[in-house]
Amino acid sequence: MTAETGLHPPDGFVYASLPQLMALEHHSRGLSFLSRQPLSSILSGVHASRLRGRGLSFDELRNYTPGDDLRHLDARATLRYGKPFVRTFTEERDRPTLLLVDQRMNMYFGSRHCFKSVAAAQLASLCAWMAFHAGDRVGGLVFGDETLEHIRPQRSRARIEALCAAVIRANHALHAALPEAGQPDRLDTVLRHCLASAGHDHLICIISDFAGAGDQTLQLLRQLSAHNDVIAMQVYDPIALQFPDKGRITITQGSVQRELQVDKRQVHGPLGDFLSGRLRDVAELLRRSRVPLMMFGTGEEVLGQLRLALGRLTGSAR
């Protein structure tokens, strides 16, 4: 079920636009997933380790020379030939970044500022530009209830525009009159697709409200994070944290609509408890996956929340 409140966001915040997403490049400068993260950062702590940074690729196996790092000794080759051998590595110049962008009907909801689908689109653009300016290749998986577009990672502005255009296509396909597809495991299907294509040493940002997440989602997240850096970006509407005490909301399911008076006890209590409980359950599942979690409410601008979550203010470390 999707819901659309009577407190409609201003015009322009129900749908994102391609010029808007491309213009976020300027605002992404100074933001980074990697450098100088403080202890309070989302990327540090017991359950959210720092990102691995750029990986190392195996270069060659050669004879040991004085001054070589003993940690790079190859025990098997040393035993076989009776003299020390070391493995040498070269630093990868870039790495692939994959953005998983949720544009399902459950994201077509908003009570303040913008819909969740719009916030997800803006987050995807900011993350894409951040990765691009870090020198990495950028691609993504943009998915709806029935659709999935795979944009393979490349380091070019044209590829970011292609990714943003795919997000806009999925975003503009959403409409209150659309029936829900009824695929509760849709997120898991997309995560499996990501597992099959990501390999290792990717940065994977999952931008979603994580509707339908369950035990299988937990296992897939753990598999992804075993060889990649994974960040969960949970998008939520403020109504889930503080359900309004008065007013009306319109609940829609396909072409069927029903208006509810929220100050009625039989409406306010059960619906408010359901929304806040679902938000807590998903957040707890993500924490159990040991994947770093950022939470973004649709009641405020995404950019400010991202700066805060990264432990930064206007591009400077605290």
Side-chain angles (χ1 to χ4, degrees):
M1 178 180 292
T2 58
E4 189 175 357
T5 72
L7 304 172
H8 293 288
D11 291 340
F13 287 96
V14 176
Y15 295 106
S17 70
L18 185 57
Q20 175 196 53
L21 298 190
M22 296 300 289
L24 288 173
E25 177 184 8
H26 171 72
H27 298 287
S28 71
R29 295 183 183 274
L31 296 175
S32 173
F33 288 117
L34 291 170
S35 61
R36 301 193 307 277
Q37 295 297 335
L39 290 177
S40 60
S41 168
I42 193 70
L43 301 181
S44 62
V46 176
H47 298 297
S49 61
R50 295 175 186 269
L51 293 178
R52 294 180 178 86
R54 303 195 186 280
L56 297 176
S57 295
F58 174 71
D59 187 25
E60 64 175 347
L61 185 68
R62 61 168 174 79
N63 290 317
Y64 171 83
T65 58
D68 284 338
D69 191 336
L70 293 177
R71 291 174 298 180
H72 294 163
L73 279 173
D74 188 295
R76 182 175 297 178
T78 298
L79 289 172
R80 181 175 181 181
Y81 295 104
K83 56 182 179 179
F85 278 80
V86 294
R87 287 174 170 263
T88 61
F89 299 85
T90 55
E91 185 177 18
E92 293 177 352
R93 293 186 178 181
D94 61 15
R95 67 170 175 184
T97 293
L98 277 178
L99 307 175
L100 276 59
V101 190
D102 190 347
Q103 292 290 304
R104 293 176 291 169
M105 274 298 293
N106 50 277
M107 298 290 286
Y108 191 70
F109 176 91
S111 63
R112 301 181 213 166
H113 192 66
C114 69
F115 279 20
K116 291 190 291 182
S117 51
V118 173
Q122 293 172 353
L123 274 172
S125 174
L126 285 166
C127 292
W129 288 119
M130 286 166 60
F132 175 79
H133 288 298
D136 294 336
R137 290 170 282 150
V138 182
L141 299 172
V142 182
F143 63 100
D145 290 289
E146 299 285 352
T147 60
L148 174 64
E149 280 199 65
H150 186 180
I151 295 87
R152 299 191 180 280
Q154 287 184 9
R155 189 177 186 274
S156 70
R157 294 179 185 276
R159 185 49 50 106
I160 293 181
E161 185 171 8
L163 174 63
C164 290
V167 172
I168 292 301
R169 283 193 293 273
N171 181 251
H172 286 206
L174 297 172
H175 192 275
L178 291 176
E180 293 193 37
Q183 297 186 52
D185 62 344
R186 179 61 174 162
L187 179 60
D188 293 344
T189 299
V190 174
L191 291 176
R192 290 189 192 96
H193 189 97
C194 184
L195 264 173
S197 59
H200 59 86
D201 295 329
H202 283 56
L203 171 60
I204 301 170
C205 299
I206 307 169
I207 306 169
S208 173
D209 65 355
F210 290 86
D215 290 339
Q216 186 60 45
T217 313
L218 180 63
Q219 297 303 318
L220 290 167
L221 288 173
R222 287 175 173 170
Q223 290 177 51
L224 270 177
S225 61
H227 301 289
N228 301 281
D229 291 312
V230 182
I231 300 175
M233 297 181 163
Q234 185 183 11
V235 182
Y236 68 92
D237 190 272
I239 203 171
L241 296 178
Q242 186 173 7
F243 199 69
D245 294 324
K246 59 184 179 180
R248 297 174 182 271
I249 62 171
T250 302
I251 306 296
T252 70
Q253 184 171 21
S255 59
V256 179
Q257 296 188 357
R258 183 175 178 183
E259 191 175 77
L260 299 177
Q261 188 75 31
V262 298
D263 55 2
K264 291 185 177 180
R265 185 182 304 173
Q266 62 268 36
V267 172
H268 184 277
L271 192 52
D273 291 345
F274 169 75
L275 292 173
S276 61
R278 193 173 87 167
L279 183 65
R280 286 194 303 269
D281 290 345
V282 171
E284 177 59 26
L285 181 142
L286 293 173
R287 291 188 182 98
R288 286 170 54 204
S289 72
R290 296 184 177 271
V291 166
L293 169 64
M294 299 180 183
M295 298 182 69
F296 296 89
T298 60
E300 303 174 29
E301 287 189 359
V302 163
L303 178 61
Q305 296 180 78
L306 182 60
R307 282 202 181 108
L308 183 61
L310 292 172
R312 293 186 176 273
L313 292 173
T314 62
S316 300
R318 289 180 183 175

